[in-house]
Amino acid sequence: MTDKSKSTTVWRQPDGEPLSCLEKIKVLNENLEEIRELSQDALEDAVLMGGDEDQLREVLRAIVDDLVNPYASKKH
């Protein structure tokens, strides 16, 4: 994530309304920056050790796709 994309991200509630709490927005931005930094480190390590960049990107996408929302409402 670039500095520009971070600064232009409008965090939204499930109903589409933007979040207004600056503390919540700050935490979300900090979390994503940590994820970005760890992902960048993992990519660099993989490439330096002779791994395939595309494979690492696929693995990172799969991690995101497999995330579970423990707060999702159960549909019956």
Side-chain angles (χ1 to χ4, degrees), residues 10-20 73:
V10 177
W11 293 105
R12 300 197 177 276
Q13 301 175 87
D15 64 3
E17 290 296 312
L19 287 177
S20 60
S73 5

Side-chain angles (χ1 to χ4, degrees), residues 4-57:
K4 182 180 179 189
S5 66
K6 183 171 85 171
S7 65
T8 59
T9 299
V10 177
W11 293 105
R12 300 197 177 276
Q13 301 175 87
D15 64 3
E17 290 296 312
L19 287 177
S20 60
C21 176
L22 295 179
E23 241 351 90
K24 291 178 181 179
I25 293 168
K26 179 181 173 185
V27 168
L28 290 171
N29 286 335
E30 288 173 352
N31 286 345
L32 285 183
E33 182 58 23
E34 286 180 40
I35 292 167
R36 190 202 65 76
E37 289 174 5
L38 284 171
S39 297
Q40 182 66 45
D41 290 346
L43 176 67
E44 291 172 14
D45 288 347
V47 171
L48 285 172
M49 292 187 282
D52 181 62
E53 176 182 345
D54 291 335
Q55 182 184 19
L56 188 276
R57 291 178 184 277

